[in-house]
Amino acid sequence: MTFIWYSKKSSVQNRLFAIIRKHSSVYYLLTVQMTISYSGNVIRLLLRWKGSIWRTVWRELLIYLFFFYSIRLFYLKGIDFIDDDDDDRNKIRRMFESFCRQCDSYTRLIPLTFLLGFYVSNVVARWWRQFETLYWPEDILSVLCTVLHQHDDKSKRRRHTIARYLNLSNALAWRDISSKIRLRFPTVHSLIEGGLLTEKEYQILETMHTENESSRWMTPLHWIQQIMRQVEDETKPTASLLNQFVAELRIFRQSLRKLYSYDWVCVPLVYTQVAALATYSFFFFSLFGRQPLLPEIKSGKEIDLKVPIFTIVQFLFFVGWFKVGQDLMRPFGLDDDDIELNYILDRNVRISFAIVNHLQEAPIPDFENDDDKMWEEMHPPVKDGETSPSLRIPQLPHSKYSSQLSEHPPRLHAYVPIDDDRTSIKDMESHHGCISVKKDKKHLNW
């Protein structure tokens, strides 16, 4: 099996991962779509629709503009139909204008930037921690191949079964927290069709689930422990490697338990209510406070913009900000930017069986007789009577593309060389480091 990473840009999406499997002269090309891509220039970035701010807030924006122009129409035309007396109409109009000014002053009292910033920063941090909690099977299966390295049929079957049980635990746990995995495997019995579960194992899982609802996803991990106990009794593997495998299995179990904890314990409701109340009350008052008033327009203090551009931009900023926090609250749902657990599950299955079956069974390259260019450069042949040259460390070559890039080697900015001719620290700093001192003024020397 050969793994090839590639990136191909298109106007709709980026396909980031491909696996080309060569077996019996047959090639299989598997491409998987990841989450929303947002590469490109600013214009293309702003014109994206899927997963964009426009798709997130367009409904709320249309409702807001509908009420905004309804209030504007009432102010300009509707007040004239309330009363026939001009004095009463002018009095009502002045009261409405005073109310609008008061609403505009109220919007300045709501600390919306602080509340949304604190709310969204916590939600984004929580979202990223959930992604980091996902366990990738390479580590534990690499340790497994060192513990159970034999090539007999029994050892092959054990490695294969352990890899299948690991992915089975992932599927059982993820289908409880992810809408996409639940739609893919609506029932536990559907895992039998996927090949992760057998009929006998399904009966055991159902029995365990009847006795304890929380033990279904942990059962395959317990089976792995029992298999490793058999391996320990039969083959006596290295104790340190076996301990490392058990430690990796514990980390795997903890990752699933943390995902359940994140799904059970969400951000407190009061926290979300405060952010929602602050956001929507701000724009409720702005429906009146951002109305262009006739006295200000006649005096030249305001310009009668037919379209409230600045209010719309502010609405996109704040409401879009709040919607980001709501969408990232549940990162394993059906939104555009939710984590693609279907892809991760497929990827883990392929990688797992590639490690325990193909990579473990593949012969080791004959490195002793192979042409190793670096070895030949570091150990050139020496004729009789000649001394071996000093060891030379080879350097990796550059391509014609990378050679055009400018390199910036790291520099120790805190390093101050000692110069006998200079006795003052100030004189040393004036010629070394990233800070130069000229006429008692410090300038950054980039």
Side-chain angles (χ1 to χ4, degrees), residues 26-89:
V26 179
Y27 291 86
Y28 301 91
L29 178 63
L30 305 173
T31 58
V32 183
Q33 177 183 355
M34 292 295 289
T35 53
I36 301 303
S37 172
Y38 45 86
S39 60
N41 55 31
V42 178
I43 302 300
R44 291 183 60 187
L45 177 66
L46 294 178
L47 293 180
R48 295 295 298 270
W49 174 254
K50 189 175 182 180
S52 65
I53 186 176
W54 322 114
R55 184 174 181 177
T56 304
V57 304
W58 71 271
R59 293 184 181 88
E60 289 84 353
L61 181 59
L62 289 181
I63 296 173
Y64 179 82
L65 291 177
F66 172 77
F67 285 108
F68 183 87
Y69 283 108
S70 299
I71 295 173
R72 181 180 175 84
L73 182 63
F74 169 77
Y75 172 59
L76 296 178
K77 303 294 183 180
I79 295 179
D80 296 335
F81 296 96
I82 295 178
D83 201 325
D84 296 333
D85 190 2
D86 292 339
D87 294 336
D88 292 338
R89 289 200 299 267

Side-chain angles (χ1 to χ4, degrees), residues 225-280:
Q225 294 178 179
Q226 292 177 329
I227 293 175
M228 296 308 297
R229 287 293 299 173
Q230 295 176 0
V231 172
E232 183 183 17
D233 294 336
E234 295 176 7
T235 63
K236 305 296 181 181
T238 306
S240 60
L241 295 177
L242 185 60
N243 291 336
Q244 186 176 358
F245 177 84
V246 174
E248 289 291 339
L249 187 63
R250 178 177 59 85
I251 296 174
F252 184 89
R253 186 186 295 108
Q254 288 178 349
S255 68
L256 298 180
R257 186 167 59 247
K258 287 180 181 179
L259 290 176
Y260 269 102
S261 300
Y262 278 118
D263 187 70
W264 291 335
V265 182
C266 194
V267 175
L269 177 62
V270 177
Y271 201 1
T272 306
Q273 286 179 338
V274 169
L277 184 62
T279 302
Y280 291 109

Side-chain angles (χ1 to χ4, degrees), residues 34 53 62 96 98 104 108 140 160 164 205 215 220 251 274 297 304 309 324 337 354 363 389 395 407 425:
M34 292 295 289
I53 186 176
L62 289 181
F96 181 83
S98 298
D104 186 50
R108 299 186 179 93
I140 187 172
H160 177 88
R164 181 170 63 85
L205 288 179
S215 63
I251 296 174
V274 169
I297 295 174
D304 187 10
I309 300 176
V324 165
D337 279 320
Q395 293 183 353
E407 297 184 357
I425 297 295

Side-chain angles (χ1 to χ4, degrees), residues 316-331:
L316 292 175
F317 288 165
F318 288 126
V319 176
W321 204 1
F322 174 71
K323 298 287 283 186
V324 165
Q326 283 188 321
D327 293 341
L328 297 183
M329 192 77 69
R330 299 288 185 184

Side-chain angles (χ1 to χ4, degrees), residues 71 75 90-109 282 284-302:
I71 295 173
Y75 172 59
N90 293 331
K91 183 178 180 181
I92 295 174
R93 183 170 282 107
R94 287 193 300 270
M95 292 175 59
F96 181 83
E97 291 169 354
S98 298
F99 178 74
C100 290
R101 296 187 185 96
Q102 194 171 11
C103 288
D104 186 50
S105 63
Y106 284 162
T107 57
R108 299 186 179 93
L109 301 178
F282 178 89
F284 173 78
F285 290 123
S286 68
L287 287 173
F288 299 92
R290 302 299 170 82
Q291 294 290 337
L293 303 179
L294 294 178
E296 278 75 6
I297 295 174
K298 293 179 181 179
S299 63
K301 295 181 180 180
E302 291 185 6

